[in-house]
Structure formats: C-alpha cells, structure tokens
Amino acid sequence: MSSRLVNWFRFSSPATFYPLSRKIGAISTIVAVVLIAIGLYMSFFVAPTDYKQGEGYRIIFVHVPASWMSMFIYLVMAGWAALGLIFNTRLSSMMAQALAPTGAMFAFLSLWTGSFWGKPMWGTWWVWDARITSELILLFLYLGYMALRAAIDDPRRGDRASAILLLVGVVNVPIIYYSVQWWNTLHQGSTIKMSEESTMDETMLITMLIMTLGFWAYSIAVAMARLRSVILERERSANWVRELARGEL
C-alpha cells in the first residue's frame, strides 16, 4: 500500500506530471468533443418542449452545467490551494492557476446565458437576485485571484496570497447553492436533488448530464494545456526543461 502511495506521490513533481498532462489532455479533448456534440444535438432536436417555458428553456442545457462547473472548479482550485499550503507542493499551485481562467469563463457563461433565459421569463435581463448576485461575486473572486496572482512577482508569495484568497472565497459556493432556499428569490429552485427524485423529464435530465460531463472533460483538457505552459514558464531554469526544449527544437 505504501509503495503505491509513493508511486502516486511522484506525480506531484512538475517534471513527472508534465508528460502525463499531455495524455490526459488528449483523451479529455476527444471525450469533450464527443459529449458536447451529442449534448447539443439532444438539446436542440431530442429534448421535448417545456410545457411552461416553450422552446426558450433549452438554454438551460448550457446555463445549468456552466453554473455547476463554475462552482465545482472553484472548489477544486481551493482544494489544490490547501494542498499547496499544507504540503508546499509546487504543482498544486500550478493546478489552481491553470484552472482559474476556465472557471471564470464558466461563471461568465452562467451569468450570460442566465440573462438570455431571464429576459423572456422575468421580463428583464438582470435582477439583483440572491443566486445571480452570489454568482457574480464568484466571477469577481476568479478575476481577483488571477489579478492577485499576476500582481506578485515572486511565485511563492503569489501562490500563498492567492491560495488564502481562494480558501476565504469558498464560503460563497454554498451561498450560491442554497440561496434559493435561504432567501425569497426569483430564481427557480433546483429540479435535480441528491436526496429526492428529480422532477425533470428523463430525456432532459440525460441531456443535462451529458452536457455536464462534456463541460467537465473540456475543463480538464483546457486546464492540462494551460498547465503545461505554466510548468514550462515557472520551471524554465530547470535542467529537464532545457533538455526538453532542445529535444523539441
């Protein structure tokens, strides 16, 4: 058991994880393309028309998975930040740094598609609803993390400062999730619940899950590509990077 743990722990080194990231990224790219293509086809042509919202509801197949991913990625980043602070592993901070732009993109996509959905349903593009406002705060947390990380020249100091910001901002994630229960909001409640049977049509539910898995695979693929760039930038003085550069050139 201990030998297996040691074998896995060796991937905490940027030099060891770098070649693995290429394989993970390649597989994730293929999975993402296939799942998102299937999900979009089902969203437009297979899922039935909603009896209340008509055809306009179909934006939820992008909006809801994007919202889920914006929260999930932030939690993953906070987890990597905590590992970096506890074990002082360089790769942990690089992982968080690589995930941040994708998380910010999903937070923006959630707000953008929510506005398009809210206009015909509520009659306005934007309301200061508890869930929408807390999602906007999540976008600002992503942007603040990236700005703070870029503002500090010393990588180690930047890692620590941005990790603390991530961990403090985690409190916003449960606020987003439970806001429709804690406050009187315009935003509808969750139709998919872990403790209860879903009220969503089975075809709609399958389509939603396919899109979510596709977004998940996309996030991994993009993060691996960005991580490779981060590793090369931050480890540029290491001998293995110089040898790699000579080999690729």
Side-chain angles (χ1 to χ4, degrees):
M1 184 69 179
S2 59
S3 61
R4 291 183 180 179
L5 184 62
V6 171
N7 287 336
W8 279 107
F9 189 73
R10 67 189 178 90
F11 287 110
S12 62
S13 168
T16 307
F17 191 82
Y18 183 84
L20 180 61
S21 65
R22 182 193 297 273
K23 298 177 183 178
I24 296 174
I27 295 172
S28 299
T29 299
I30 297 172
V31 173
V33 170
V34 172
L35 289 179
I36 293 176
I38 294 173
L40 289 176
Y41 175 80
M42 294 182 67
S43 300
F44 287 109
F45 304 110
V46 179
T49 303
D50 186 79
Y51 74 99
K52 284 186 178 180
Q53 303 181 48
E55 300 293 347
Y57 91 98
R58 297 182 187 277
I59 201 168
I60 70 170
F61 296 118
V62 174
H63 172 71
V64 174
S67 301
W68 287 345
M69 290 306 303
S70 68
M71 293 184 286
F72 178 73
I73 290 175
Y74 193 91
L75 291 177
V76 173
M77 288 173 59
W80 281 117
L83 288 175
L85 289 175
I86 296 170
F87 297 106
N88 198 28
T89 52
R90 291 172 297 163
L91 186 62
S92 298
S93 301
M94 295 179 190
M95 284 284 195
Q97 184 179 350
L99 283 166
T102 305
M105 183 272 291
F106 277 121
F108 175 79
L109 185 61
S110 171
L111 293 168
W112 187 39
T113 54
S115 295
F116 278 100
W117 189 16
K119 177 60 176 177
M121 302 304 146
W122 302 336
T124 182
W125 296 102
W126 180 268
V127 291
W128 291 103
D129 177 270
R131 173 163 285 183
I132 299 173
T133 303
S134 53
E135 181 71 19
L136 178 62
I137 292 173
L138 182 63
L139 174 60
F140 289 155
L141 284 170
Y142 276 118
L143 297 177
Y145 166 84
M146 291 187 289
L148 178 62
R149 184 68 194 75
I152 301 176
D153 294 331
D154 181 20
R156 289 292 186 177
R157 288 180 55 243
D159 290 342
R160 287 192 296 270
S162 56
I164 293 172
L165 175 61
L166 283 175
L167 294 175
V168 171
V170 164
V171 69
N172 187 55
V173 175
I175 292 176
I176 297 173
Y177 186 80
Y178 291 107
S179 58
V180 293
Q181 300 177 27
W182 292 345
W183 294 285
N184 182 23
T185 68
L186 283 174
H187 200 288
Q188 72 179 57
S190 301
T191 55
I192 302 176
K193 300 178 181 179
M194 299 298 293
S195 58
E196 302 177 15
E197 185 177 352
S198 174
T199 58
M200 181 177 287
D201 176 83
E202 184 177 355
T203 304
M204 296 180 183
L205 179 59
I206 292 173
T207 304
M208 186 89 69
L209 294 178
I210 290 175
M211 287 296 293
T212 301
L213 292 174
F215 282 2
W216 197 353
Y218 166 82
S219 300
I220 295 173
V222 174
M224 290 299 105
R226 192 175 292 115
L227 177 64
R228 290 167 59 82
S229 298
V230 172
I231 290 175
L232 291 178
E233 179 183 358
R234 295 186 58 171
E235 300 289 304
R236 58 185 178 273
S237 59
N239 292 331
W240 72 270
V241 174
R242 295 174 182 174
E243 295 174 1
L244 180 66
R246 287 195 294 267
E248 291 181 348
L249 292 175

